[in-house]
Amino acid sequence: MTALLELSEISKYFGGVRALHEVDMAVHEGEVVALIGDNGAGKSTLVKIVSGVESPDTGEIRVRGEATNLVSSRSAVDAGIRTVFQDLSLCDNLDAVQNLFLGQERHGSFWSGRRIRRHAMEEQAQRILESLSVKLRSLSTPVVALSGGQRQGIAICRALISDPAVVILDEPTAALGVSQRAEVLDLIHRLRDQGRGVVVVSHDMKDVRQVADRIVVLRLGTKVAEFRRGEYSMSDLVSAMTGAHEPLDDEGGDQ
Ligand SMILES: Nc1ncnc2c1ncn2[C@@H]1O[C@H](COP(=O)(O)OP(=O)(O)OP(=O)(O)O)[C@@H](O)[C@H]1O
Ligand SMILES: [Mg+2]
């Protein structure tokens, strides 16, 4: 099966710092790939490269099998890749609909003065929120009043407005309570069930184990391991991330 997104031998230096060294990674339809690694492993750099924010020094990016240059955020969006960054970039004083369409508002015709079409946007917002089962009491509450899980839901729904093939989530469960975390993990499963490719950057190994079909481990800019669902234990993940080889207490591993 052709990968939706495929990275080959991606390297990136910042001055003398090697942020990424010949990293390979692929995401297929209906697949959740987790990208894990310690601080400084290169996760954010990789996310920026596939979001068109940074360019790799060397290596190739293929989208549905075709070599593609992601030279700007726009070109990544046009290629069907949307990223939800960790800060979510929501406007606190605006409501869900305004946030969903921020910068991508629906306008009426030139002849109607190109007024923003609130009604059409509300309908589409409702559809997208429902497709991921994001529950809001009202579409017109400022998002500052919503829970962390709801805010994450809105940020993810905003990414879906352009119907991307690949959705990248940077630490989607960081700073969430237990039930909200479960909501967001459900939401990730729904993205996958919609046939999208999902890349999840995470520090949380429990989340990763729950949600990922495949796990790519980075350490100091190099991909050091890749695991498939059910083929690893917690201590495999930890030792790949840290480079330590001594067996650790496994908190109820898969095996
Ligand atoms: N703009 C930059 N200028 C210089 N060095 C950078 C820059 N961005 C990243 N780096 C370096 O590249 C390496 C990888 O950083 P990156 O932010 O990708 O790691 P990360 O895995 O996201 O870490 P964290 O878990 O802390 O977010 C680090 O050594 C970092 O200091
Ligand atoms: Mg980072």
Tab-separated table of all heavy atoms in Angstrom, residues 28-51:
chain	number	residue	atom	x	y	z
A	28	HIS	N	0.447	5.458	6.811
A	28	HIS	CA	-0.496	4.929	5.823
A	28	HIS	C	-1.926	5.310	6.172
A	28	HIS	O	-2.192	5.791	7.277
A	28	HIS	CB	-0.373	3.406	5.756
A	28	HIS	CG	0.994	2.940	5.348
A	28	HIS	ND1	2.017	2.802	6.252
A	28	HIS	CD2	1.496	2.636	4.133
A	28	HIS	CE1	3.109	2.420	5.610
A	28	HIS	NE2	2.827	2.307	4.319
A	29	GLU	N	-2.830	5.033	5.224
A	29	GLU	CA	-4.255	5.293	5.477
A	29	GLU	C	-4.730	4.515	6.691
A	29	GLU	O	-4.420	3.338	6.839
A	29	GLU	CB	-5.077	4.826	4.273
A	29	GLU	CG	-5.199	5.865	3.198
A	29	GLU	CD	-5.994	5.333	2.010
A	29	GLU	OE1	-6.876	4.462	2.223
A	29	GLU	OE2	-5.720	5.801	0.904
A	30	GLY	N	-5.496	5.184	7.538
A	30	GLY	CA	-6.075	4.492	8.686
A	30	GLY	C	-5.055	3.959	9.663
A	30	GLY	O	-5.258	2.910	10.265
A	31	GLU	N	-3.968	4.696	9.813
A	31	GLU	CA	-2.901	4.237	10.702
A	31	GLU	C	-2.511	5.351	11.664
A	31	GLU	O	-2.431	6.507	11.278
A	31	GLU	CB	-1.685	3.845	9.858
A	31	GLU	CG	-0.556	3.264	10.675
A	31	GLU	CD	0.686	2.954	9.836
A	31	GLU	OE1	1.044	3.747	8.951
A	31	GLU	OE2	1.290	1.910	10.101
A	32	VAL	N	-2.283	4.968	12.932
A	32	VAL	CA	-1.776	5.928	13.906
A	32	VAL	C	-0.315	5.587	14.184
A	32	VAL	O	-0.006	4.476	14.623
A	32	VAL	CB	-2.560	5.879	15.229
A	32	VAL	CG1	-1.992	6.880	16.229
A	32	VAL	CG2	-4.040	6.157	14.984
A	33	VAL	N	0.563	6.530	13.890
A	33	VAL	CA	1.989	6.342	14.168
A	33	VAL	C	2.369	7.282	15.293
A	33	VAL	O	2.104	8.483	15.215
A	33	VAL	CB	2.851	6.649	12.922
A	33	VAL	CG1	4.338	6.501	13.253
A	33	VAL	CG2	2.471	5.737	11.769
A	34	ALA	N	2.957	6.736	16.349
A	34	ALA	CA	3.412	7.593	17.443
A	34	ALA	C	4.889	7.866	17.258
A	34	ALA	O	5.652	7.000	16.831
A	34	ALA	CB	3.172	6.912	18.784
A	35	LEU	N	5.249	9.106	17.552
A	35	LEU	CA	6.644	9.520	17.469
A	35	LEU	C	7.053	9.849	18.892
A	35	LEU	O	6.502	10.765	19.499
A	35	LEU	CB	6.701	10.754	16.571
A	35	LEU	CG	8.047	11.333	16.206
A	35	LEU	CD1	8.888	10.312	15.462
A	35	LEU	CD2	7.845	12.573	15.333
A	36	ILE	N	7.964	9.043	19.434
A	36	ILE	CA	8.357	9.298	20.809
A	36	ILE	C	9.868	9.488	20.915
A	36	ILE	O	10.624	9.116	20.013
A	36	ILE	CB	7.897	8.178	21.777
A	36	ILE	CG1	8.648	6.874	21.521
A	36	ILE	CG2	6.403	7.948	21.669
A	36	ILE	CD1	8.388	5.828	22.612
A	37	GLY	N	10.285	10.080	21.993
A	37	GLY	CA	11.707	10.321	22.225
A	37	GLY	C	11.860	11.325	23.352
A	37	GLY	O	10.945	12.108	23.614
A	38	ASP	N	13.025	11.278	23.974
A	38	ASP	CA	13.309	12.164	25.099
A	38	ASP	C	13.426	13.615	24.630
A	38	ASP	O	13.418	13.876	23.428
A	38	ASP	CB	14.626	11.729	25.745
A	38	ASP	CG	14.463	11.523	27.232
A	38	ASP	OD1	13.601	12.224	27.813
A	38	ASP	OD2	15.173	10.684	27.793
A	39	ASN	N	13.584	14.525	25.580
A	39	ASN	CA	13.796	15.935	25.224
A	39	ASN	C	14.994	16.050	24.290
A	39	ASN	O	16.020	15.419	24.510
A	39	ASN	CB	14.082	16.781	26.475
A	39	ASN	CG	12.898	16.781	27.411
A	39	ASN	OD1	12.996	16.331	28.529
A	39	ASN	ND2	11.767	17.253	26.953
A	40	GLY	N	14.819	16.840	23.234
A	40	GLY	CA	15.926	17.058	22.302
A	40	GLY	C	16.117	15.944	21.290
A	40	GLY	O	17.068	15.956	20.516
A	41	ALA	N	15.180	14.967	21.260
A	41	ALA	CA	15.337	13.828	20.349
A	41	ALA	C	15.148	14.212	18.882
A	41	ALA	O	15.624	13.530	17.983
A	41	ALA	CB	14.360	12.731	20.728
A	42	GLY	N	14.419	15.316	18.656
A	42	GLY	CA	14.178	15.749	17.284
A	42	GLY	C	12.726	15.671	16.858
A	42	GLY	O	12.395	15.907	15.686
A	43	LYS	N	11.823	15.387	17.794
A	43	LYS	CA	10.407	15.222	17.455
A	43	LYS	C	9.819	16.491	16.857
A	43	LYS	O	9.195	16.472	15.794
A	43	LYS	CB	9.594	14.823	18.706
A	43	LYS	CG	10.119	13.592	19.419
A	43	LYS	CD	9.308	13.276	20.661
A	43	LYS	CE	9.317	14.356	21.732
A	43	LYS	NZ	10.632	14.548	22.386
A	44	SER	N	10.015	17.612	17.564
A	44	SER	CA	9.429	18.866	17.063
A	44	SER	C	10.045	19.261	15.731
A	44	SER	O	9.349	19.791	14.859
A	44	SER	CB	9.649	20.001	18.066
A	44	SER	OG	8.931	19.734	19.240
A	45	THR	N	11.330	18.996	15.579
A	45	THR	CA	11.974	19.337	14.308
A	45	THR	C	11.333	18.542	13.168
A	45	THR	O	11.034	19.093	12.107
A	45	THR	CB	13.497	19.053	14.390
A	45	THR	OG1	14.019	19.756	15.521
A	45	THR	CG2	14.205	19.487	13.133
A	46	LEU	N	11.069	17.264	13.421
A	46	LEU	CA	10.438	16.439	12.393
A	46	LEU	C	9.023	16.951	12.078
A	46	LEU	O	8.614	17.028	10.917
A	46	LEU	CB	10.400	14.976	12.845
A	46	LEU	CG	10.214	13.949	11.737
A	46	LEU	CD1	11.373	13.996	10.758
A	46	LEU	CD2	10.101	12.541	12.309
A	47	VAL	N	8.294	17.325	13.125
A	47	VAL	CA	6.940	17.859	12.929
A	47	VAL	C	7.011	19.149	12.099
A	47	VAL	O	6.213	19.355	11.179
A	47	VAL	CB	6.253	18.118	14.283
A	47	VAL	CG1	4.988	18.952	14.109
A	47	VAL	CG2	5.927	16.804	14.968
A	48	LYS	N	7.982	20.004	12.410
A	48	LYS	CA	8.096	21.257	11.656
A	48	LYS	C	8.419	20.981	10.193
A	48	LYS	O	7.930	21.677	9.300
A	48	LYS	CB	9.167	22.154	12.278
A	48	LYS	CG	8.706	22.799	13.572
A	48	LYS	CD	9.793	23.656	14.175
A	48	LYS	CE	9.407	24.073	15.592
A	48	LYS	NZ	10.579	24.477	16.375
A	49	ILE	N	9.221	19.954	9.947
A	49	ILE	CA	9.575	19.645	8.561
A	49	ILE	C	8.345	19.162	7.789
A	49	ILE	O	8.087	19.629	6.680
A	49	ILE	CB	10.738	18.622	8.525
A	49	ILE	CG1	12.031	19.346	8.907
A	49	ILE	CG2	10.851	17.957	7.157
A	49	ILE	CD1	13.234	18.456	9.080
A	50	VAL	N	7.536	18.292	8.385
A	50	VAL	CA	6.365	17.820	7.642
A	50	VAL	C	5.239	18.858	7.618
A	50	VAL	O	4.301	18.734	6.845
A	50	VAL	CB	5.823	16.457	8.135
A	50	VAL	CG1	6.819	15.365	7.848
A	50	VAL	CG2	5.484	16.482	9.597
A	51	SER	N	5.366	19.902	8.444
A	51	SER	CA	4.375	20.993	8.404
A	51	SER	C	4.821	22.119	7.487
A	51	SER	O	4.132	23.134	7.378
A	51	SER	CB	4.177	21.599	9.792
A	51	SER	OG	4.053	20.619	10.753
